[in-house]
Amino acid sequence: MNDTTGRGGGPVDPPPLAHIFNSTHADFDAVTPLVWGPTGEAMAARAGILPGQRVLDVCSGTGASALAAARLVGPAGSVTAVDFAGDLLARAHAKASAAELHNVEFRVADVTDLRADDIGHFDVLTCGYGVFFLPEMDAAVRNLIDLLLPGGRLSLAVWHDDALYDFAGAYFARVARVTGEPTPPGPRDPVDDPHPITRIDTVEKITAWLESVGAVDTRATVLRLRIPRTDTFGWSMVLGSGLRGALDGLSPEAIAEVRRGFLQDLADADMTEVNCDTLIATGRRPER
Ligand SMILES: C[S@@+](CC[C@H](N)C(=O)[O-])C[C@H]1O[C@@H](n2cnc3c(N)ncnc32)[C@H](O)[C@@H]1O
């Protein structure tokens, strides 16, 4: 079974993450108005982006924060949006064109491969729900901070504390029941190698972690996102996120069984809302 949500725990053996995220492309934007969109706007706003600046948006998906940043920098500024899921980035590109935002460059690339020699330095770095996917998260984020100009600002979004905890737990339990495979360990189960998200899921943890990878003036706040639990939202959140990876290779009948059982389990648990609370953390690259 594959856990690519940043909400599971323990060792996993997913198909390549880019393949999973590409497979979400038709469903990803069903979640945008309720989750990815508000976070993208908040993250760009808290980055303090000014007209004319150069922004690097990594793990861009369908462009929630990249497009918000493009509006803030205006025609004199620019945004470079990077993701290795080309199908998601193509949707971001189409949305930018439809909105007549011509100041965004889209790059299909692994963000851990970005180097200043190639793309230069930026005034602002934004990354929504992405850093916990990066292998060797600390080294990867140090490298991203190096792509900022001295004094440049960064703004990150990650799941806060209990966000998606019960939701993802019910989902993986249901997938396990349908497939007959063991349920993967949750993020708080004792495992040798806890999921990186457990290191950055509170205000205190993420600000301390950002300082440890080289940022200064770090701050974080919680964006409260409680989405009414409906079957439509529940299943869109599965199909339009990395949770979808656990369905990879299942037959249409098995997927239908997961859907029916999972949505029933949420209803039986009297879950009235889905906790999608999000931490928005900001900081700066030191001046020298
Ligand atoms: C949960 S989505 C978030 C997308 C977008 N930031 C948003 O908030 O709507 C995570 C994104 O990170 C991308 N991603 C994860 N690891 C990556 C890597 N190493 N290089 C490039 N993109 C990556 C995935 O392809 C996916 O689009």
Side-chain angles (χ1 to χ4, degrees):
M1 188 176 311
N2 309 306
D3 172 19
T4 56
T5 60
R7 289 280 61 179
V12 292
D13 182 22
L17 198 53
H19 159 75
I20 291 174
F21 274 106
N22 275 328
S23 75
T24 69
H25 77 99
D27 301 287
F28 198 88
D29 277 332
V31 182
T32 297
L34 294 166
V35 183
W36 317 131
T39 295
E41 295 287 341
M43 209 173 38
R46 302 225 187 128
I49 294 170
L50 299 172
Q53 287 188 318
R54 284 193 82 206
V55 176
L56 174 63
D57 181 80
V58 295
C59 300
S60 303
T62 61
S65 48
L67 271 52
R71 285 187 281 273
L72 292 172
V73 296
S78 66
V79 177
T80 300
V82 183
D83 200 296
F84 60 15
D87 293 349
L88 292 185
L89 217 49
R91 288 192 176 251
H93 198 162
K95 287 197 277 183
S97 300
E100 299 200 5
L101 290 167
H102 304 300
N103 55 354
V104 193
E105 181 209 354
F106 297 92
R107 283 194 178 219
V108 180
D110 188 321
V111 307
T112 62
D113 292 336
L114 298 178
R115 299 291 177 267
D117 289 352
D118 178 28
I119 57 168
H121 287 93
F122 295 83
D123 300 292
V124 177
L125 165 72
T126 51
C127 180
Y129 307 107
V131 292
F132 43 76
F133 288 120
L134 303 178
E136 301 186 42
M137 178 172 78
D138 295 23
V141 173
R142 271 183 202 281
N143 179 54
L144 291 172
I145 292 173
D146 282 347
L147 299 175
L148 284 170
L149 291 161
R153 292 175 59 86
L154 61 93
S155 185
L156 309 180
V158 301
W159 301 115
H160 176 241
D161 206 8
D162 285 337
L164 292 184
Y165 189 81
D166 295 340
F167 183 86
Y171 170 69
F172 285 116
R174 177 52 64 174
V175 173
R177 277 183 68 176
V178 171
T179 60
E181 290 181 27
T183 311
R188 294 181 191 143
D189 291 339
V191 286
D192 292 342
D193 190 15
H195 197 287
I197 199 166
T198 60
R199 298 175 44 219
I200 54 172
D201 59 0
T202 66
V203 168
E204 295 73 23
K205 284 197 253 180
I206 197 164
T207 50
W209 171 75
L210 277 174
E211 304 265 344
S212 79
V213 292
V216 294
D217 290 346
T218 61
R219 292 184 175 71
T221 53
V222 180
L223 178 66
R224 190 179 154 87
L225 286 175
R226 301 292 168 98
I227 316 301
R229 197 268 310 155
T230 62
D231 286 356
T232 302
F233 175 73
W235 198 240
S236 295
M237 193 66 200
V238 167
L239 296 185
S241 77
L243 285 167
R244 187 183 186 123
L247 303 175
D248 218 45
L250 300 194
S251 67
E253 295 74 25
I255 292 173
E257 205 182 327
V258 171
R259 180 185 185 283
R260 189 177 33 75
F262 165 59
L263 296 175
Q264 190 60 52
D265 291 342
L266 296 186
D268 291 347
D270 290 331
M271 187 184 287
T272 56
E273 55 187 19
V274 181
N275 177 349
C276 295
D277 289 356
T278 294
L279 276 170
I280 312 275
T282 57
R284 279 191 308 110
R285 177 177 172 168
E287 293 290 344
R288 62 185 72 224

